[in-house]
Amino acid sequence: MEVVIFRDEEQVAERAADLLVRMLSVKPRAVFGLATGSTPIVLYRQLIERNRKGEVSFSGVTSFNLDEYLGIAPGDPQSYRSFMDREFFDHVDIDKARTHLPSCEPGDNPQLVGPRYEAMIRKAGGIDLQILGIGQNGHIGFNEPSSSLVSRTRVKTLTPRTMQDNSRLFDPGEIQPRLAITMGIGTIMDARSILLLATGERKAGAVAAMVEGAVSAMCPASILQMHERVTVLIDEPAASKLKNREYYERAARENRALKERFGEFYADG
Ligand code: F6R
């Protein structure tokens, strides 16, 4: 796991955008796993800007989002489909027919959505790069604490903590869903590389548990310790509870030097 610490969320997003753009220069038809939430919005803005300037094209990209609420129509402004259209897809040259979310259409059996989504990911050749945020309770996707560490895409019940964290995004009187369909932890772990972004002091506890705690279903993100290619990009406040910070900074410098000398895809596991 490579942990890289930046001054602020703009710098985190800039490095993440660099990595995505570089991957697309090597593999223009890359398959991305995408996330919603507040954290990746700055990244999406930077990618939109680079696309507008002609520095990158998403025309060959296929994408699979981590999760979608259950019980909200894809056209509802609160759906993650609407979020992705609004914050990213509508502003870049991506082919929307190749952007996927684990949505449950009216009349669909939600239990079948997961296996169908998994089959689509396999058919696309698997995920090259998965973008993740992290919940204050350590969740990735909507894999809440106690989720099976080998789970696949399925329906999950959101914890009261997640409901409370996300209530800021719902107006009074709006119905906040209590269920979601999320890629499983096993699904996320199948991605060939993973980029986790975390910003702000409220993420410091979860980041420390993920990087330095024991691997445990009570902190689902801690499973990333078992993945070969994970880069964690965080800002100063999110890094504030890490004990081995000096080591991560030194390792990040060494890795940068190695990458400059031997190529882009060297990473300190
Ligand atoms: C979003 C997702 C979640 C968020 C996490 C952090 O698709 O899967 O795991 O990444 O809840 O959300 P923010 O970025 O809003 O703090």
Side-chain angles (χ1 to χ4, degrees), residues 28-40:
R29 300 187 67 79
V31 179
F32 288 139
L34 299 177
T36 56
S38 313
T39 314

Side-chain angles (χ1 to χ4, degrees), residues 95-252:
D95 176 0
K96 271 210 207 173
R98 285 207 300 271
T99 65
H100 309 283
L101 286 93
S103 309
C104 189
E105 304 288 338
D108 263 358
N109 174 349
Q111 315 276 14
L112 301 180
V113 172
R116 223 159 50 207
Y117 202 59
E118 296 271 339
M120 284 166 75
I121 295 173
R122 275 197 304 276
K123 197 166 161 217
I127 291 174
D128 293 303
L129 178 63
Q130 174 68 57
I131 306 290
L132 294 177
I134 183 170
Q136 292 181 66
N137 62 3
H139 74 206
I140 46 176
F142 273 134
N143 295 287
E144 300 285 38
S146 81
S147 288
S148 158
L149 295 177
V150 294
S151 49
R152 310 304 304 188
T153 306
R154 70 219 182 286
V155 176
K156 276 301 286 183
T157 302
L158 306 183
T159 58
R161 175 71 191 268
T162 296
M163 296 281 297
Q164 198 200 318
D165 289 347
N166 288 352
S167 62
R168 69 187 193 282
L169 306 169
F170 289 82
D171 289 331
E174 252 185 333
I175 293 171
Q176 187 182 353
R178 285 182 304 195
L179 299 177
I181 299 180
T182 179
M183 275 189 204
I185 296 178
T187 323
I188 293 169
M189 290 292 282
D190 283 347
R192 286 186 269 281
S193 56
I194 296 180
L195 200 54
L196 184 140
L197 316 182
T199 53
E201 207 269 326
R202 68 192 176 101
K203 297 295 174 67
V207 166
M210 163 180 71
V211 178
E212 296 177 342
V215 173
S216 160
M218 293 316 287
C219 176
S222 64
I223 191 67
L224 300 179
Q225 294 173 25
M226 308 284 288
H227 194 287
E228 225 180 341
R229 276 166 80 167
V230 177
T231 305
V232 175
L233 304 179
I234 51 180
D235 66 359
E236 293 279 351
S240 59
K241 292 194 173 148
L242 287 172
K243 291 200 180 78
N244 296 323
R245 180 190 167 134
E246 273 173 30
Y247 172 71
Y248 309 134
E249 288 177 330
R250 193 152 53 81

